[in-house]
Structures are given as structure tokens and as C-alpha cells.
Amino acid sequence: MPDKPHYRTVIEPFIIKSVQPIRLTTREQRERVLREARYNLFRVRSQDVLIDLLTDSGTGAMSSEQWAALMRGDEAYAGSQSFQRFEAVVKKHFGFRHVIPTHQGRAAERILFSVVCKPGDVVPNNTHFDTTRANIEFQQAVAEDLVIEEGKDPTSRHPFKGNLDTEKLKALIQRVGAEKIPLCMLTITNNSGGGQPVSMANIREVKAVLEPHGIPLYFDAARFAENAYFIKLREPEFRDWSVPDIVRKMMSYADGCTVSAKKDGLVNIGGFLCTNDDLLAQQEKDLLILTEGFPTYGGLAGRDLDALAVGLEEVMEEDYLKYRLAETRYLGDHLTEIGYPIVQPPGGHAIYIDAKSLLPHIPPSHYPGQSLSIEFYLEGGIRTVEIGSVMFGKPSPDGTGEIPAAMELVRLALPRRTHTQSHIDYVLEVARVVYENRERLRGVRITRQPPFLRHFTAEFELM
Ligand code: F0G
């Protein structure tokens, strides 16, 4: 007998030690919930949701080691031991000189861009996540998305659809001048483009384009471990590398990073900012003290930093990453089998259904993604999120209508270590019924909306 049998089933590499009950409602109850929420799933209470796939951010389960680490939390205002443990882990794996904790990712973004951006500057990225874009625009700078063309085509099966187009980057530098570009970002993995990875080869090429111009490279590294594992699976040069070695290699090309620790930090709150630049670090810490807190806690409790120090190590374990990507792929492949058009290939943290292709009878102005999202909840109590014209539609210049978003997607994001295979099988059973009923789905109309970030609070009615 070989001592390592290769069974096909990829199991959850953990047992469940603490549980939170979930409750199946009746269709009648869900109809009432939807009416009361004005058909906006952000307005639905979590106890009325059976399977919550709204986001993978801060919604995962901590391990017993992380819960144990919480008890070690040192709440000293200055020089806390929790900070020292957290800083040591980040330095060991990421290798940056300065590590600055923040309460979540967008706080790191705000501090970074307040310090480096001037009005009129341009910040390229593969695809900016919305808070990144908003924080750049808040400094009156411009956020440019330069993802490769394959990254915008839901059907393309390119292995690294998160890659940045280096020709477009060169053209941008030519057009605006290097002095207008305070840094270039790479979002790993590319959330807004379907959770798609960036290859090591692309990271190298981007760095090679930037270096002669003295433009720093930064990662938006919220899902750094998922990206590293994709590199191991898809880039032959790294097949035999350990994940921590790949992470270290990726980071060696960068001058800094922002991190939302609510994803691959495996914690419910937290973030951080890294840099190798001493002067920048000082300016960032000065600003941190103004709004987040002293640089050894940055808006977090000491115990949060201890849980994060453990999470950053656990997330790079290969058994975990193998299960993580298998779970997402399982959902994606079975949705494809039912007939759903999804962003291919399945990414790291979520599956994105292309609602425009699924529901061609509902025009973008009637929000097909919102309609599909409502139907998933109505049919099976499943909460998803529309990433389409509700989120990104803009008023047309003549004021008579709206410019729709480029894509009408519905995201099913998987919280880490939270659901079992039977939960996913249930989602697929519901998805099958929704698919069979797709021709009966109707669009929605917005009846009330705030002036910005409308998707969080807008009200709808069914057409
Ligand atoms: N960068 C990326 C790539 C993200 O996905 C997020 C958050 C952030 C930055 C901001 O971090 O929420 O800690 O302030 N994404 C969540 C999501 C909200 O649902 O995709 P944060």
C-alpha cells in the first residue's frame, strides 16, 4: 500500500467545534422579507438568510489556534507584544521594512493615497477594487484599470486573467509621464475581474517596466495566498515551491502593499499597510495616529493582531488552499453544468454569474443581476450580490437615463472555512430551479436611491 493514497474527494481539512444555527424560512416569509427590504438584499437581516454568499470579507471561521491566540492579546497602548508577534509574521513572509496595522483594508488605502497622491496624478492597477478607486479619486487623482483583454471576457479561460497589460502600462507612462504616477498597483487576486490570479511572470514584467522610471510597485494583497496557490498550480516554474516561498518571491518584487486582512488574514476585522520607504512610513504613521490609533495597534485590539498573526500562517497551508480552491471550483463547475454562464475559469473566492447572458429578455436598464439575486433569495434563502448596473451604472450626461455597467454579474462569494459540501449542494439544487424558471424572471425598477454608493440602500419594485 502506498502511504499517500490519492483519493479524489477533497475534504474540508478541519472539524467543526463551534456552530451557529441557520434557519430555513418559508417562501411566504421570504416574500414578506423581500417586500419589507424593498428588494435590496443589503437590507435583509442575517437571521432571515439561510446561506449567506454576500461576501468572503470578514465572514470566515477562525481556528481553535486563533481563538486561543485571542487570549494572549496584550492590550498595552504602546509597544504591545501582540503587535510584535504580528509584525514578525508579516516581516517573515512579506519581507517589508515597515508594517502598519489598520482597522481594515480601506483604511490602509486611505492612508497610502493621502500620502502619495496629488491632484491630477494617475494610479494604474489591473482592476481597482471600488474602495481603492474611491480613495484615489478622493485625492482628485485618476484610477486607471489596465487588465489584459482576456480579463474582460467572461468566456476566456486564460490561466492568469488578472494580469496587467504591460503594453498599456508603457503607453500610459508615455502619455502622462512617470512623475504623475506615484505608484502602480496589482490586485492579487483581481476581485473585480472575477477573483482571477496574476502570474509571477506578469509581476516580473510589470516591475521591469516600472523600475527604469522609478515608479514603485504595490500589491493590493487581500487574497495573496489564493494568488500564490494559483501560481503553484498554473505556472510550471513554481510547481515544486512551497506557498510561503511563492509569497515571499511575489513580495520581493514589490515596494509595499495594502491588505484587507478580512480575506486571507482569516480574521473578522483587520488590515495593514507595508512599505520599504522610511520617509513614507513616517508620514503614514503620523496620519495613522490622527485617525486610526498608535502605530502598534492601528485601530485594532491587541487580541485582533494575535489572531491575525496566526491566520496569516494558517492561510498558506496547502491542505487549506487545496480545499479552498476545490470548493469554489465545485460550485463553478456544477453551475456551468446546469447551464449558467459564469466568469471562467472559477476564481479563488467567488463565482460570478453573467446575468446579461442568462436573462437576455431583461435589458440592463431593468437590472438583470438584481432580478437574479432576488430570485436566489426567494427560491432558497440564498444571499448573493449584484455587481452590475445597480452598483456601477452612471447617470447619462443628458440626464435622461443611465449608462449601464460593462457587465451584469451576480457574485456568489464563499466565506472561508464556513460551509460544508452539503451547503454547496443545496445552493446548486436551488440554482437548478432558478435556472429552469429563468424565462419567468422580471426586471426591477429603482424607486429611491441615495446620491452615491446607491446599491447599499436603494429601494426597488418588481416590474
Ligand atoms: N481590496 C480588495 C481587493 C477587496 O476585495 C476589498 C474588500 C478591499 C480592498 C477593501 O477592504 O473591506 O477591509 O476595507 N472587498 C470586500 C468584498 C468588501 O466583498 O469583496 P476592506
Side-chain angles (χ1 to χ4, degrees):
M1 277 258 289
D3 53 342
K4 259 197 158 181
H6 292 282
Y7 294 115
R8 262 185 51 247
T9 311
V10 179
I11 64 164
E12 291 86 355
F14 48 78
I15 54 168
I16 295 162
K17 186 146 164 176
S18 177
V19 298
Q20 177 180 334
I22 50 175
R23 181 175 67 103
L24 182 58
T25 46
T26 63
R27 192 178 178 95
E28 207 182 351
Q29 284 170 326
R30 291 193 294 278
E31 271 167 354
R32 202 188 58 238
V33 167
L34 277 173
R35 263 198 315 276
E36 285 172 5
R38 307 275 187 258
Y39 299 94
N40 184 337
L41 294 158
F42 282 104
R43 298 163 65 109
V44 172
R45 303 180 311 170
S46 73
Q47 64 265 44
D48 295 324
V49 176
L50 184 65
I51 309 277
D52 202 346
L53 307 182
L54 181 69
T55 180
D56 65 320
S57 180
T59 50
M62 292 211 295
S63 67
S64 42
E65 287 303 318
Q66 286 180 289
W67 283 106
L70 287 180
M71 290 304 294
R72 276 199 298 275
D74 172 10
E75 306 304 340
Y77 190 95
S80 129
Q81 299 168 66
S82 300
F83 173 74
Q84 295 167 42
R85 286 188 281 266
F86 154 74
E87 186 191 39
V89 170
V90 177
K91 282 192 169 171
K92 174 174 159 207
H93 294 294
F94 287 24
F96 298 111
R97 281 239 291 279
H98 302 279
V99 182
I100 301 171
T102 60
H103 80 273
Q104 63 184 83
R106 67 197 70 182
E109 292 163 4
R110 192 187 62 82
I111 288 169
L112 173 65
F113 294 120
S114 309
V115 173
V116 302
C117 273
K118 294 185 303 300
D121 279 354
V122 181
V123 181
N125 199 333
N126 44 7
T127 314
H128 291 274
F129 180 69
D130 7 334
T131 58
T132 322
R133 169 175 291 279
N135 273 298
I136 292 166
E137 291 175 352
F138 192 67
Q139 301 301 326
Q140 295 168 350
V142 179
E144 285 267 359
D145 292 340
L146 303 182
V147 74
I148 56 171
E149 287 306 308
E150 291 90 334
K152 295 186 227 165
D153 171 6
T155 62
S156 160
R157 285 184 177 264
H158 190 291
F160 290 102
K161 285 172 83 171
N163 284 356
L164 184 140
D165 187 329
T166 46
E167 291 308 314
K168 287 187 201 160
L169 180 62
K170 286 180 202 162
L172 179 77
I173 297 171
Q174 274 269 300
R175 181 161 60 81
V176 305
E179 65 291 347
K180 285 255 179 232
I181 305 179
L183 58 87
C184 170
M185 274 208 139
L186 278 175
T187 304
I188 53 172
T189 58
N190 191 20
N191 183 9
S192 312
Q196 302 292 332
V198 176
S199 70
M200 194 75 82
N202 189 245
I203 293 170
R204 269 191 204 123
E205 280 164 31
V206 170
K207 181 69 184 174
V209 172
L210 299 173
E211 202 150 37
H213 300 282
I215 302 170
L217 172 64
Y218 269 66
F219 288 130
D220 175 347
R223 299 176 181 87
F224 71 95
E226 291 170 13
N227 199 90
Y229 197 58
F230 275 121
I231 287 178
K232 183 177 170 81
L233 296 179
R234 297 183 184 170
E235 222 167 341
E237 183 188 343
F238 296 98
R239 199 175 39 209
D240 300 322
W241 284 48
S242 74
V243 173
D245 284 348
I246 296 174
V247 168
R248 184 74 197 215
K249 185 81 183 161
M250 289 175 358
M251 296 296 168
S252 73
Y253 294 104
D255 299 284
C257 65
T258 58
V259 180
S260 166
K262 299 170 75 172
K263 287 80 170 175
D264 278 353
L266 297 179
V267 287
N268 304 113
I269 194 73
F272 56 98
L273 171 61
C274 296
T275 175
N276 283 331
D277 183 324
D278 298 343
L279 180 63
L280 203 59
Q282 196 51 55
Q283 292 171 324
E284 287 168 351
K285 284 180 196 170
D286 291 346
L287 196 55
L288 187 84
I289 291 174
L290 193 65
T291 57
E292 289 277 297
F294 194 70
T296 58
Y297 72 86
L300 294 168
R303 56 179 166 271
D304 295 330
L305 291 168
D306 262 310
L308 175 52
V310 176
L312 288 170
E313 300 263 14
E314 286 182 352
V315 78
M316 293 190 284
E317 286 170 12
E318 282 193 28
D319 281 351
Y320 161 75
L321 284 166
K322 186 174 177 190
Y323 136 80
R324 172 73 178 154
L325 298 196
E327 184 188 32
T328 311
R329 173 166 285 279
Y330 181 86
L331 175 62
D333 286 351
H334 284 83
L335 285 172
T336 308
E337 212 173 274
I338 292 169
Y340 278 95
I342 66 164
V343 174
Q344 294 287 3
H349 68 294
I351 295 299
Y352 296 69
I353 298 174
D354 178 356
K356 204 194 285 188
S357 312
L358 179 76
L359 307 171
H361 60 288
I362 304 179
S365 55
H366 298 166
Y367 309 113
Q370 189 67 19
S371 166
L372 183 63
S373 216
I374 291 168
E375 191 66 15
F376 264 91
Y377 179 76
L378 187 61
E379 185 58 40
I382 298 163
R383 175 152 65 177
T384 58
V385 66
E386 191 260 16
I387 303 190
S389 291
V390 173
M391 204 177 263
F392 295 125
K394 292 203 172 74
S396 61
D398 63 6
T400 56
E402 229 174 69
I403 305 169
M407 292 199 265
E408 303 295 338
L409 303 177
V410 170
R411 182 177 80 170
L412 287 71
L414 295 166
R416 292 169 181 74
R417 306 190 291 204
T418 303
H419 294 110
T420 63
Q421 164 127 17
S422 67
H423 288 130
I424 306 296
D425 285 333
Y426 169 83
V427 171
L428 289 165
E429 236 182 296
V430 172
R432 187 175 292 280
V433 176
V434 171
Y435 185 80
E436 280 156 10
N437 290 337
R438 66 193 182 284
E439 281 161 21
R440 289 208 287 276
L441 265 57
R442 293 165 294 155
V444 298
R445 198 179 287 121
I446 295 181
T447 55
R448 198 197 70 81
Q449 57 178 307
F452 49 84
L453 294 174
R454 66 177 180 184
H455 52 285
F456 290 124
T457 54
E459 299 179 2
F460 302 88
E461 65 186 15
L462 299 180
M463 298 180 72

